[in-house]
Amino acid sequence: NAGVTQTPKFQVLKTGQSMTLQCAQDMNHEYMSWYRQDPGMGLRLIHYSVGAGITDQGEVPNGYNVSRSTTEDFPLRLLSAAPSQTSVYFCASKGDRGHYEQYFGPGTRLTVT
Amino acid sequence: GDSVTQMEGPVTLSEEAFLTINCTYTATGYPSLFWYVQYPGEGLQLLLKATKADDKGSNKGFEATYRKETTSFHLEKGSVQVSDSAVYFCALSPFFSNDYKLSFGAGTTVTVRA
């Protein structure tokens, strides 16, 4: 049982490049989400999904796309990277009602130059 | 909207000292309240939680009590160890969200010296 996995661990992009951050979980959780962590700002919700085929925007969705074709995977796409997207990105998953804990992946550190 | 304000750090303590990290929140109704911990180089882990007023969450010697009257959820530990060095985040989830959406505080970095 690997929990929540994220790839890559580190990534450097040039402004305007695109990339996909991968997230997978093996706990059969319905709910998955993406957060970004910036100094002094805690974690902010980017996008979330309450099940396969269902996604919605969080607090800071601009510049990011998501899709959820399977229960296990929830990739985050940056269409045209900007320096303001330099951050640490965390994926999380949670079980159904009554399961309150969110499980976080180890994070992806992204630098956009 | 819902928000969390927590004590700014960094906090540096000696081993066996008492630790308090203040957390206050703004929310409608009765949110669920959480403390998450992030050890160096790792993702966040749930430390403790409380889902209704006067609930006390506890884990690994840490405690926090849900105080509706003061909208607070302060984290305390009576005797810290070097292994408690981490970043601590207070978070809330709105009552209607089924704990899906978390709003985090800025985080407090705690360093415990031997």
Side-chain angles (χ1 to χ4, degrees), chain A residues 6 21 31-38 42-48 59-60 76 87-93 102 104 108, chain B residues 92 99-104:
Chain A
Q6 292 183 236
L21 307 185
Y31 177 72
M32 297 185 74
S33 57
W34 278 100
Y35 293 87
R36 58 178 290 173
Q37 182 182 22
D38 301 293
L43 278 75
R44 292 178 292 168
L45 182 64
I46 304 171
H47 284 285
Y48 66 97
E59 181 184 355
V60 288
L76 178 72
S87 188
V88 181
Y89 291 84
F90 288 99
C91 179
S93 74
Q102 292 207 25
F104 285 81
T108 294
Chain B
L92 73 79
D99 296 332
Y100 285 165
K101 299 182 182 181
L102 289 175
S103 295
F104 285 88

PDB file of all heavy atoms in Angstrom, chain A residues 6 21 31-38 42-48 59-60 76 87-93 102 104 108, chain B residues 92 99-104:
ATOM      1  N   GLN A   6       3.512  10.947  -5.856  1.00  0.00           N
ATOM      2  CA  GLN A   6       3.603  12.082  -6.762  1.00  0.00           C
ATOM      3  C   GLN A   6       4.898  11.999  -7.555  1.00  0.00           C
ATOM      4  O   GLN A   6       5.945  11.635  -7.009  1.00  0.00           O
ATOM      5  CB  GLN A   6       3.607  13.413  -5.991  1.00  0.00           C
ATOM      6  CG  GLN A   6       2.314  13.751  -5.310  1.00  0.00           C
ATOM      7  CD  GLN A   6       2.390  15.116  -4.628  1.00  0.00           C
ATOM      8  OE1 GLN A   6       2.148  15.233  -3.430  1.00  0.00           O
ATOM      9  NE2 GLN A   6       2.703  16.161  -5.400  1.00  0.00           N
ATOM     10  N   LEU A  21       1.941  17.358 -13.603  1.00  0.00           N
ATOM     11  CA  LEU A  21       2.334  16.746 -12.343  1.00  0.00           C
ATOM     12  C   LEU A  21       1.421  15.540 -12.110  1.00  0.00           C
ATOM     13  O   LEU A  21       0.197  15.659 -12.192  1.00  0.00           O
ATOM     14  CB  LEU A  21       2.190  17.734 -11.182  1.00  0.00           C
ATOM     15  CG  LEU A  21       2.874  19.094 -11.328  1.00  0.00           C
ATOM     16  CD1 LEU A  21       2.730  19.886 -10.028  1.00  0.00           C
ATOM     17  CD2 LEU A  21       4.321  18.950 -11.711  1.00  0.00           C
ATOM     18  N   TYR A  31     -12.216  11.101  -3.061  1.00  0.00           N
ATOM     19  CA  TYR A  31     -11.861  12.509  -3.087  1.00  0.00           C
ATOM     20  C   TYR A  31     -10.361  12.701  -3.267  1.00  0.00           C
ATOM     21  O   TYR A  31      -9.560  12.069  -2.560  1.00  0.00           O
ATOM     22  CB  TYR A  31     -12.295  13.178  -1.787  1.00  0.00           C
ATOM     23  CG  TYR A  31     -11.901  14.621  -1.703  1.00  0.00           C
ATOM     24  CD1 TYR A  31     -12.544  15.580  -2.469  1.00  0.00           C
ATOM     25  CD2 TYR A  31     -10.852  15.028  -0.879  1.00  0.00           C
ATOM     26  CE1 TYR A  31     -12.162  16.909  -2.409  1.00  0.00           C
ATOM     27  CE2 TYR A  31     -10.466  16.352  -0.812  1.00  0.00           C
ATOM     28  CZ  TYR A  31     -11.133  17.295  -1.577  1.00  0.00           C
ATOM     29  OH  TYR A  31     -10.753  18.603  -1.526  1.00  0.00           O
ATOM     30  N   MET A  32      -9.995  13.551  -4.225  1.00  0.00           N
ATOM     31  CA  MET A  32      -8.589  13.914  -4.410  1.00  0.00           C
ATOM     32  C   MET A  32      -8.496  15.405  -4.639  1.00  0.00           C
ATOM     33  O   MET A  32      -9.455  16.039  -5.141  1.00  0.00           O
ATOM     34  CB  MET A  32      -7.972  13.144  -5.583  1.00  0.00           C
ATOM     35  CG  MET A  32      -7.938  11.638  -5.366  1.00  0.00           C
ATOM     36  SD  MET A  32      -7.100  10.738  -6.678  1.00  0.00           S
ATOM     37  CE  MET A  32      -5.379  11.145  -6.343  1.00  0.00           C
ATOM     38  N   SER A  33      -7.333  15.964  -4.311  1.00  0.00           N
ATOM     39  CA  SER A  33      -7.180  17.410  -4.428  1.00  0.00           C
ATOM     40  C   SER A  33      -5.726  17.772  -4.671  1.00  0.00           C
ATOM     41  O   SER A  33      -4.821  16.969  -4.417  1.00  0.00           O
ATOM     42  CB  SER A  33      -7.680  18.102  -3.153  1.00  0.00           C
ATOM     43  OG  SER A  33      -6.991  17.610  -2.018  1.00  0.00           O
ATOM     44  N   TRP A  34      -5.522  18.987  -5.159  1.00  0.00           N
ATOM     45  CA  TRP A  34      -4.204  19.565  -5.340  1.00  0.00           C
ATOM     46  C   TRP A  34      -4.104  20.863  -4.545  1.00  0.00           C
ATOM     47  O   TRP A  34      -5.009  21.713  -4.604  1.00  0.00           O
ATOM     48  CB  TRP A  34      -3.933  19.881  -6.812  1.00  0.00           C
ATOM     49  CG  TRP A  34      -3.474  18.714  -7.613  1.00  0.00           C
ATOM     50  CD1 TRP A  34      -4.221  17.943  -8.450  1.00  0.00           C
ATOM     51  CD2 TRP A  34      -2.145  18.180  -7.648  1.00  0.00           C
ATOM     52  NE1 TRP A  34      -3.431  16.967  -9.011  1.00  0.00           N
ATOM     53  CE2 TRP A  34      -2.166  17.086  -8.551  1.00  0.00           C
ATOM     54  CE3 TRP A  34      -0.933  18.522  -7.035  1.00  0.00           C
ATOM     55  CZ2 TRP A  34      -1.021  16.330  -8.827  1.00  0.00           C
ATOM     56  CZ3 TRP A  34       0.195  17.776  -7.316  1.00  0.00           C
ATOM     57  CH2 TRP A  34       0.146  16.693  -8.204  1.00  0.00           C
ATOM     58  N   TYR A  35      -2.985  21.008  -3.827  1.00  0.00           N
ATOM     59  CA  TYR A  35      -2.684  22.228  -3.087  1.00  0.00           C
ATOM     60  C   TYR A  35      -1.317  22.743  -3.532  1.00  0.00           C
ATOM     61  O   TYR A  35      -0.450  21.988  -3.942  1.00  0.00           O
ATOM     62  CB  TYR A  35      -2.592  21.961  -1.583  1.00  0.00           C
ATOM     63  CG  TYR A  35      -3.881  21.570  -0.914  1.00  0.00           C
ATOM     64  CD1 TYR A  35      -4.292  20.240  -0.872  1.00  0.00           C
ATOM     65  CD2 TYR A  35      -4.675  22.527  -0.286  1.00  0.00           C
ATOM     66  CE1 TYR A  35      -5.469  19.883  -0.242  1.00  0.00           C
ATOM     67  CE2 TYR A  35      -5.853  22.173   0.360  1.00  0.00           C
ATOM     68  CZ  TYR A  35      -6.231  20.846   0.367  1.00  0.00           C
ATOM     69  OH  TYR A  35      -7.401  20.493   1.007  1.00  0.00           O
ATOM     70  N   ARG A  36      -1.128  24.050  -3.390  1.00  0.00           N
ATOM     71  CA  ARG A  36       0.202  24.608  -3.523  1.00  0.00           C
ATOM     72  C   ARG A  36       0.608  25.233  -2.191  1.00  0.00           C
ATOM     73  O   ARG A  36      -0.238  25.778  -1.466  1.00  0.00           O
ATOM     74  CB  ARG A  36       0.292  25.637  -4.649  1.00  0.00           C
ATOM     75  CG  ARG A  36      -0.634  26.819  -4.567  1.00  0.00           C
ATOM     76  CD  ARG A  36      -0.406  27.787  -5.726  1.00  0.00           C
ATOM     77  NE  ARG A  36       0.890  28.486  -5.584  1.00  0.00           N
ATOM     78  CZ  ARG A  36       1.407  29.279  -6.520  1.00  0.00           C
ATOM     79  NH1 ARG A  36       0.779  29.465  -7.666  1.00  0.00           N
ATOM     80  NH2 ARG A  36       2.562  29.876  -6.317  1.00  0.00           N
ATOM     81  N   GLN A  37       1.888  25.094  -1.867  1.00  0.00           N
ATOM     82  CA  GLN A  37       2.406  25.610  -0.611  1.00  0.00           C
ATOM     83  C   GLN A  37       3.423  26.692  -0.889  1.00  0.00           C
ATOM     84  O   GLN A  37       4.438  26.453  -1.548  1.00  0.00           O
ATOM     85  CB  GLN A  37       3.071  24.492   0.213  1.00  0.00           C
ATOM     86  CG  GLN A  37       3.592  24.954   1.558  1.00  0.00           C
ATOM     87  CD  GLN A  37       4.278  23.845   2.343  1.00  0.00           C
ATOM     88  OE1 GLN A  37       4.730  22.851   1.774  1.00  0.00           O
ATOM     89  NE2 GLN A  37       4.346  23.981   3.646  1.00  0.00           N
ATOM     90  N   ASP A  38       3.141  27.868  -0.372  1.00  0.00           N
ATOM     91  CA  ASP A  38       4.034  29.014  -0.542  1.00  0.00           C
ATOM     92  C   ASP A  38       4.392  29.581   0.823  1.00  0.00           C
ATOM     93  O   ASP A  38       3.556  29.578   1.735  1.00  0.00           O
ATOM     94  CB  ASP A  38       3.371  30.085  -1.401  1.00  0.00           C
ATOM     95  CG  ASP A  38       2.995  29.570  -2.770  1.00  0.00           C
ATOM     96  OD1 ASP A  38       3.938  29.260  -3.540  1.00  0.00           O
ATOM     97  OD2 ASP A  38       1.797  29.445  -3.072  1.00  0.00           O
ATOM     98  N   GLY A  42       0.694  29.148   3.899  1.00  0.00           N
ATOM     99  CA  GLY A  42       0.120  27.836   4.132  1.00  0.00           C
ATOM    100  C   GLY A  42      -0.122  27.109   2.826  1.00  0.00           C
ATOM    101  O   GLY A  42       0.580  27.324   1.828  1.00  0.00           O
ATOM    102  N   LEU A  43      -1.116  26.241   2.815  1.00  0.00           N
ATOM    103  CA  LEU A  43      -1.497  25.513   1.609  1.00  0.00           C
ATOM    104  C   LEU A  43      -2.795  26.101   1.073  1.00  0.00           C
ATOM    105  O   LEU A  43      -3.721  26.368   1.841  1.00  0.00           O
ATOM    106  CB  LEU A  43      -1.703  24.029   1.912  1.00  0.00           C
ATOM    107  CG  LEU A  43      -0.460  23.163   1.968  1.00  0.00           C
ATOM    108  CD1 LEU A  43       0.305  23.394   3.254  1.00  0.00           C
ATOM    109  CD2 LEU A  43      -0.827  21.689   1.825  1.00  0.00           C
ATOM    110  N   ARG A  44      -2.858  26.235  -0.236  1.00  0.00           N
ATOM    111  CA  ARG A  44      -4.073  26.752  -0.873  1.00  0.00           C
ATOM    112  C   ARG A  44      -4.579  25.745  -1.890  1.00  0.00           C
ATOM    113  O   ARG A  44      -3.811  25.181  -2.675  1.00  0.00           O
ATOM    114  CB  ARG A  44      -3.792  28.105  -1.536  1.00  0.00           C
ATOM    115  CG  ARG A  44      -3.506  29.224  -0.550  1.00  0.00           C
ATOM    116  CD  ARG A  44      -3.189  30.535  -1.268  1.00  0.00           C
ATOM    117  NE  ARG A  44      -1.929  30.467  -1.982  1.00  0.00           N
ATOM    118  CZ  ARG A  44      -1.522  31.377  -2.867  1.00  0.00           C
ATOM    119  NH1 ARG A  44      -2.301  32.418  -3.156  1.00  0.00           N
ATOM    120  NH2 ARG A  44      -0.342  31.255  -3.448  1.00  0.00           N
ATOM    121  N   LEU A  45      -5.882  25.533  -1.881  1.00  0.00           N
ATOM    122  CA  LEU A  45      -6.515  24.525  -2.728  1.00  0.00           C
ATOM    123  C   LEU A  45      -6.595  25.015  -4.171  1.00  0.00           C
ATOM    124  O   LEU A  45      -7.129  26.096  -4.441  1.00  0.00           O
ATOM    125  CB  LEU A  45      -7.916  24.215  -2.182  1.00  0.00           C
ATOM    126  CG  LEU A  45      -8.722  23.150  -2.890  1.00  0.00           C
ATOM    127  CD1 LEU A  45      -8.038  21.788  -2.770  1.00  0.00           C
ATOM    128  CD2 LEU A  45     -10.126  23.091  -2.293  1.00  0.00           C
ATOM    129  N   ILE A  46      -6.091  24.195  -5.107  1.00  0.00           N
ATOM    130  CA  ILE A  46      -6.095  24.564  -6.525  1.00  0.00           C
ATOM    131  C   ILE A  46      -7.330  23.985  -7.218  1.00  0.00           C
ATOM    132  O   ILE A  46      -8.152  24.708  -7.791  1.00  0.00           O
ATOM    133  CB  ILE A  46      -4.819  24.051  -7.225  1.00  0.00           C
ATOM    134  CG1 ILE A  46      -3.560  24.564  -6.526  1.00  0.00           C
ATOM    135  CG2 ILE A  46      -4.816  24.490  -8.697  1.00  0.00           C
ATOM    136  CD1 ILE A  46      -2.279  23.930  -7.037  1.00  0.00           C
ATOM    137  N   HIS A  47      -7.441  22.671  -7.218  1.00  0.00           N
ATOM    138  CA  HIS A  47      -8.572  21.951  -7.792  1.00  0.00           C
ATOM    139  C   HIS A  47      -8.843  20.727  -6.941  1.00  0.00           C
ATOM    140  O   HIS A  47      -7.948  20.239  -6.245  1.00  0.00           O
ATOM    141  CB  HIS A  47      -8.275  21.481  -9.223  1.00  0.00           C
ATOM    142  CG  HIS A  47      -8.321  22.544 -10.267  1.00  0.00           C
ATOM    143  ND1 HIS A  47      -9.500  23.089 -10.748  1.00  0.00           N
ATOM    144  CD2 HIS A  47      -7.322  23.159 -10.940  1.00  0.00           C
ATOM    145  CE1 HIS A  47      -9.210  23.989 -11.681  1.00  0.00           C
ATOM    146  NE2 HIS A  47      -7.912  24.060 -11.807  1.00  0.00           N
ATOM    147  N   TYR A  48     -10.065  20.224  -7.038  1.00  0.00           N
ATOM    148  CA  TYR A  48     -10.380  18.999  -6.340  1.00  0.00           C
ATOM    149  C   TYR A  48     -11.367  18.173  -7.153  1.00  0.00           C
ATOM    150  O   TYR A  48     -11.981  18.661  -8.111  1.00  0.00           O
ATOM    151  CB  TYR A  48     -10.919  19.281  -4.933  1.00  0.00           C
ATOM    152  CG  TYR A  48     -12.254  19.993  -4.892  1.00  0.00           C
ATOM    153  CD1 TYR A  48     -13.438  19.286  -4.729  1.00  0.00           C
ATOM    154  CD2 TYR A  48     -12.326  21.383  -4.983  1.00  0.00           C
ATOM    155  CE1 TYR A  48     -14.659  19.940  -4.676  1.00  0.00           C
ATOM    156  CE2 TYR A  48     -13.530  22.041  -4.930  1.00  0.00           C
ATOM    157  CZ  TYR A  48     -14.697  21.324  -4.779  1.00  0.00           C
ATOM    158  OH  TYR A  48     -15.901  21.968  -4.736  1.00  0.00           O
ATOM    159  N   GLU A  59      -9.458  27.415  -4.496  1.00  0.00           N
ATOM    160  CA  GLU A  59      -9.214  28.826  -4.207  1.00  0.00           C
ATOM    161  C   GLU A  59      -8.357  29.525  -5.270  1.00  0.00           C
ATOM    162  O   GLU A  59      -8.559  30.695  -5.581  1.00  0.00           O
ATOM    163  CB  GLU A  59      -8.506  28.918  -2.843  1.00  0.00           C
ATOM    164  CG  GLU A  59      -8.194  30.301  -2.344  1.00  0.00           C
ATOM    165  CD  GLU A  59      -7.407  30.259  -1.038  1.00  0.00           C
ATOM    166  OE1 GLU A  59      -7.191  29.152  -0.480  1.00  0.00           O
ATOM    167  OE2 GLU A  59      -6.983  31.335  -0.577  1.00  0.00           O
ATOM    168  N   VAL A  60      -7.389  28.793  -5.847  1.00  0.00           N
ATOM    169  CA  VAL A  60      -6.445  29.401  -6.795  1.00  0.00           C
ATOM    170  C   VAL A  60      -6.316  28.563  -8.066  1.00  0.00           C
ATOM    171  O   VAL A  60      -5.258  28.008  -8.364  1.00  0.00           O
ATOM    172  CB  VAL A  60      -5.057  29.614  -6.137  1.00  0.00           C
ATOM    173  CG1 VAL A  60      -5.088  30.731  -5.128  1.00  0.00           C
ATOM    174  CG2 VAL A  60      -4.558  28.325  -5.480  1.00  0.00           C
ATOM    175  N   LEU A  76      -2.276  17.064 -12.591  1.00  0.00           N
ATOM    176  CA  LEU A  76      -2.401  18.528 -12.627  1.00  0.00           C
ATOM    177  C   LEU A  76      -1.574  19.045 -13.788  1.00  0.00           C
ATOM    178  O   LEU A  76      -0.377  18.787 -13.861  1.00  0.00           O
ATOM    179  CB  LEU A  76      -1.889  19.127 -11.312  1.00  0.00           C
ATOM    180  CG  LEU A  76      -1.917  20.657 -11.215  1.00  0.00           C
ATOM    181  CD1 LEU A  76      -3.361  21.160 -11.072  1.00  0.00           C
ATOM    182  CD2 LEU A  76      -1.077  21.134 -10.015  1.00  0.00           C
ATOM    183  N   SER A  87       6.502  26.895  -6.756  1.00  0.00           N
ATOM    184  CA  SER A  87       5.856  26.505  -5.505  1.00  0.00           C
ATOM    185  C   SER A  87       6.149  25.037  -5.232  1.00  0.00           C
ATOM    186  O   SER A  87       6.782  24.354  -6.031  1.00  0.00           O
ATOM    187  CB  SER A  87       4.338  26.725  -5.610  1.00  0.00           C
ATOM    188  OG  SER A  87       3.702  26.524  -4.372  1.00  0.00           O
ATOM    189  N   VAL A  88       5.666  24.576  -4.093  1.00  0.00           N
ATOM    190  CA  VAL A  88       5.657  23.144  -3.806  1.00  0.00           C
ATOM    191  C   VAL A  88       4.208  22.681  -3.919  1.00  0.00           C
ATOM    192  O   VAL A  88       3.310  23.271  -3.307  1.00  0.00           O
ATOM    193  CB  VAL A  88       6.216  22.822  -2.410  1.00  0.00           C
ATOM    194  CG1 VAL A  88       6.194  21.319  -2.173  1.00  0.00           C
ATOM    195  CG2 VAL A  88       7.628  23.363  -2.262  1.00  0.00           C
ATOM    196  N   TYR A  89       3.992  21.630  -4.684  1.00  0.00           N
ATOM    197  CA  TYR A  89       2.639  21.153  -4.963  1.00  0.00           C
ATOM    198  C   TYR A  89       2.394  19.824  -4.243  1.00  0.00           C
ATOM    199  O   TYR A  89       3.197  18.899  -4.326  1.00  0.00           O
ATOM    200  CB  TYR A  89       2.448  20.963  -6.470  1.00  0.00           C
ATOM    201  CG  TYR A  89       2.440  22.278  -7.208  1.00  0.00           C
ATOM    202  CD1 TYR A  89       3.623  22.898  -7.600  1.00  0.00           C
ATOM    203  CD2 TYR A  89       1.236  22.937  -7.476  1.00  0.00           C
ATOM    204  CE1 TYR A  89       3.624  24.122  -8.245  1.00  0.00           C
ATOM    205  CE2 TYR A  89       1.219  24.159  -8.130  1.00  0.00           C
ATOM    206  CZ  TYR A  89       2.412  24.738  -8.505  1.00  0.00           C
ATOM    207  OH  TYR A  89       2.400  25.959  -9.150  1.00  0.00           O
ATOM    208  N   PHE A  90       1.274  19.761  -3.548  1.00  0.00           N
ATOM    209  CA  PHE A  90       0.889  18.558  -2.834  1.00  0.00           C
ATOM    210  C   PHE A  90      -0.443  18.035  -3.354  1.00  0.00           C
ATOM    211  O   PHE A  90      -1.392  18.792  -3.547  1.00  0.00           O
ATOM    212  CB  PHE A  90       0.758  18.831  -1.332  1.00  0.00           C
ATOM    213  CG  PHE A  90       2.066  19.049  -0.640  1.00  0.00           C
ATOM    214  CD1 PHE A  90       2.514  20.334  -0.366  1.00  0.00           C
ATOM    215  CD2 PHE A  90       2.859  17.974  -0.274  1.00  0.00           C
ATOM    216  CE1 PHE A  90       3.730  20.544   0.269  1.00  0.00           C
ATOM    217  CE2 PHE A  90       4.082  18.181   0.358  1.00  0.00           C
ATOM    218  CZ  PHE A  90       4.507  19.458   0.630  1.00  0.00           C
ATOM    219  N   CYS A  91      -0.478  16.749  -3.538  1.00  0.00           N
ATOM    220  CA  CYS A  91      -1.714  16.045  -3.863  1.00  0.00           C
ATOM    221  C   CYS A  91      -2.207  15.372  -2.587  1.00  0.00           C
ATOM    222  O   CYS A  91      -1.394  14.941  -1.747  1.00  0.00           O
ATOM    223  CB  CYS A  91      -1.428  15.009  -4.947  1.00  0.00           C
ATOM    224  SG  CYS A  91      -2.839  14.028  -5.457  1.00  0.00           S
ATOM    225  N   ALA A  92      -3.519  15.294  -2.432  1.00  0.00           N
ATOM    226  CA  ALA A  92      -4.088  14.663  -1.242  1.00  0.00           C
ATOM    227  C   ALA A  92      -5.296  13.840  -1.641  1.00  0.00           C
ATOM    228  O   ALA A  92      -5.938  14.097  -2.667  1.00  0.00           O
ATOM    229  CB  ALA A  92      -4.474  15.716  -0.204  1.00  0.00           C
ATOM    230  N   SER A  93      -5.628  12.840  -0.818  1.00  0.00           N
ATOM    231  CA  SER A  93      -6.831  12.059  -1.054  1.00  0.00           C
ATOM    232  C   SER A  93      -7.539  11.800   0.265  1.00  0.00           C
ATOM    233  O   SER A  93      -6.930  11.864   1.343  1.00  0.00           O
ATOM    234  CB  SER A  93      -6.513  10.740  -1.755  1.00  0.00           C
ATOM    235  OG  SER A  93      -5.910   9.822  -0.861  1.00  0.00           O
ATOM    236  N   GLN A 102      -7.230  13.600   5.519  1.00  0.00           N
ATOM    237  CA  GLN A 102      -6.694  13.690   4.174  1.00  0.00           C
ATOM    238  C   GLN A 102      -5.251  13.176   4.201  1.00  0.00           C
ATOM    239  O   GLN A 102      -4.486  13.502   5.094  1.00  0.00           O
ATOM    240  CB  GLN A 102      -6.742  15.136   3.664  1.00  0.00           C
ATOM    241  CG  GLN A 102      -8.154  15.634   3.441  1.00  0.00           C
ATOM    242  CD  GLN A 102      -8.259  16.715   2.392  1.00  0.00           C
ATOM    243  OE1 GLN A 102      -7.423  16.828   1.503  1.00  0.00           O
ATOM    244  NE2 GLN A 102      -9.320  17.515   2.477  1.00  0.00           N
ATOM    245  N   PHE A 104      -1.654  13.032   2.355  1.00  0.00           N
ATOM    246  CA  PHE A 104      -0.880  13.862   1.439  1.00  0.00           C
ATOM    247  C   PHE A 104       0.283  13.080   0.826  1.00  0.00           C
ATOM    248  O   PHE A 104       0.907  12.243   1.480  1.00  0.00           O
ATOM    249  CB  PHE A 104      -0.315  15.083   2.166  1.00  0.00           C
ATOM    250  CG  PHE A 104      -1.348  16.142   2.438  1.00  0.00           C
ATOM    251  CD1 PHE A 104      -2.211  16.023   3.516  1.00  0.00           C
ATOM    252  CD2 PHE A 104      -1.456  17.247   1.610  1.00  0.00           C
ATOM    253  CE1 PHE A 104      -3.176  16.999   3.760  1.00  0.00           C
ATOM    254  CE2 PHE A 104      -2.412  18.228   1.858  1.00  0.00           C
ATOM    255  CZ  PHE A 104      -3.272  18.096   2.933  1.00  0.00           C
ATOM    256  N   THR A 108       5.824  17.928  -4.939  1.00  0.00           N
ATOM    257  CA  THR A 108       6.657  18.217  -6.107  1.00  0.00           C
ATOM    258  C   THR A 108       7.115  19.662  -5.990  1.00  0.00           C
ATOM    259  O   THR A 108       6.288  20.565  -5.897  1.00  0.00           O
ATOM    260  CB  THR A 108       5.879  18.047  -7.415  1.00  0.00           C
ATOM    261  OG1 THR A 108       5.526  16.677  -7.598  1.00  0.00           O
ATOM    262  CG2 THR A 108       6.719  18.516  -8.604  1.00  0.00           C
TER     263      THR A 108
ATOM    264  N   LEU B  92      -9.120  24.193   8.890  1.00  0.00           N
ATOM    265  CA  LEU B  92     -10.535  23.951   9.137  1.00  0.00           C
ATOM    266  C   LEU B  92     -11.214  23.448   7.876  1.00  0.00           C
ATOM    267  O   LEU B  92     -10.755  23.689   6.755  1.00  0.00           O
ATOM    268  CB  LEU B  92     -11.230  25.208   9.655  1.00  0.00           C
ATOM    269  CG  LEU B  92     -11.518  26.390   8.722  1.00  0.00           C
ATOM    270  CD1 LEU B  92     -12.740  26.169   7.828  1.00  0.00           C
ATOM    271  CD2 LEU B  92     -11.759  27.648   9.572  1.00  0.00           C
ATOM    272  N   ASP B  99     -15.674  17.549   5.019  1.00  0.00           N
ATOM    273  CA  ASP B  99     -14.226  17.565   5.220  1.00  0.00           C
ATOM    274  C   ASP B  99     -13.461  17.511   3.915  1.00  0.00           C
ATOM    275  O   ASP B  99     -12.303  17.109   3.879  1.00  0.00           O
ATOM    276  CB  ASP B  99     -13.783  16.419   6.140  1.00  0.00           C
ATOM    277  CG  ASP B  99     -14.348  16.576   7.533  1.00  0.00           C
ATOM    278  OD1 ASP B  99     -14.595  17.718   7.935  1.00  0.00           O
ATOM    279  OD2 ASP B  99     -14.551  15.560   8.207  1.00  0.00           O
ATOM    280  N   TYR B 100     -14.101  17.878   2.789  1.00  0.00           N
ATOM    281  CA  TYR B 100     -13.410  17.872   1.512  1.00  0.00           C
ATOM    282  C   TYR B 100     -12.454  19.033   1.381  1.00  0.00           C
ATOM    283  O   TYR B 100     -11.343  18.902   0.899  1.00  0.00           O
ATOM    284  CB  TYR B 100     -14.414  17.953   0.358  1.00  0.00           C
ATOM    285  CG  TYR B 100     -15.163  16.675   0.076  1.00  0.00           C
ATOM    286  CD1 TYR B 100     -16.302  16.680  -0.710  1.00  0.00           C
ATOM    287  CD2 TYR B 100     -14.738  15.459   0.584  1.00  0.00           C
ATOM    288  CE1 TYR B 100     -16.987  15.517  -0.989  1.00  0.00           C
ATOM    289  CE2 TYR B 100     -15.418  14.289   0.312  1.00  0.00           C
ATOM    290  CZ  TYR B 100     -16.544  14.322  -0.482  1.00  0.00           C
ATOM    291  OH  TYR B 100     -17.216  13.169  -0.759  1.00  0.00           O
ATOM    292  N   LYS B 101     -12.911  20.224   1.758  1.00  0.00           N
ATOM    293  CA  LYS B 101     -12.115  21.420   1.515  1.00  0.00           C
ATOM    294  C   LYS B 101     -11.453  21.863   2.807  1.00  0.00           C
ATOM    295  O   LYS B 101     -12.121  22.106   3.797  1.00  0.00           O
ATOM    296  CB  LYS B 101     -12.995  22.552   0.997  1.00  0.00           C
ATOM    297  CG  LYS B 101     -13.693  22.254  -0.316  1.00  0.00           C
ATOM    298  CD  LYS B 101     -14.493  23.463  -0.757  1.00  0.00           C
ATOM    299  CE  LYS B 101     -15.240  23.184  -2.030  1.00  0.00           C
ATOM    300  NZ  LYS B 101     -16.012  24.361  -2.493  1.00  0.00           N
ATOM    301  N   LEU B 102     -10.152  21.985   2.766  1.00  0.00           N
ATOM    302  CA  LEU B 102      -9.402  22.443   3.923  1.00  0.00           C
ATOM    303  C   LEU B 102      -8.882  23.857   3.681  1.00  0.00           C
ATOM    304  O   LEU B 102      -8.325  24.146   2.619  1.00  0.00           O
ATOM    305  CB  LEU B 102      -8.224  21.522   4.212  1.00  0.00           C
ATOM    306  CG  LEU B 102      -8.535  20.142   4.772  1.00  0.00           C
ATOM    307  CD1 LEU B 102      -7.256  19.319   4.894  1.00  0.00           C
ATOM    308  CD2 LEU B 102      -9.235  20.255   6.119  1.00  0.00           C
ATOM    309  N   SER B 103      -9.053  24.728   4.680  1.00  0.00           N
ATOM    310  CA  SER B 103      -8.425  26.050   4.675  1.00  0.00           C
ATOM    311  C   SER B 103      -7.328  26.017   5.724  1.00  0.00           C
ATOM    312  O   SER B 103      -7.586  25.697   6.885  1.00  0.00           O
ATOM    313  CB  SER B 103      -9.436  27.132   5.017  1.00  0.00           C
ATOM    314  OG  SER B 103     -10.424  27.230   4.015  1.00  0.00           O
ATOM    315  N   PHE B 104      -6.103  26.338   5.298  1.00  0.00           N
ATOM    316  CA  PHE B 104      -4.945  26.217   6.172  1.00  0.00           C
ATOM    317  C   PHE B 104      -4.483  27.574   6.684  1.00  0.00           C
ATOM    318  O   PHE B 104      -4.586  28.599   5.985  1.00  0.00           O
ATOM    319  CB  PHE B 104      -3.772  25.589   5.415  1.00  0.00           C
ATOM    320  CG  PHE B 104      -3.902  24.117   5.179  1.00  0.00           C
ATOM    321  CD1 PHE B 104      -4.542  23.628   4.062  1.00  0.00           C
ATOM    322  CD2 PHE B 104      -3.359  23.212   6.085  1.00  0.00           C
ATOM    323  CE1 PHE B 104      -4.654  22.266   3.834  1.00  0.00           C
ATOM    324  CE2 PHE B 104      -3.468  21.856   5.875  1.00  0.00           C
ATOM    325  CZ  PHE B 104      -4.118  21.375   4.746  1.00  0.00           C
TER     326      PHE B 104
END
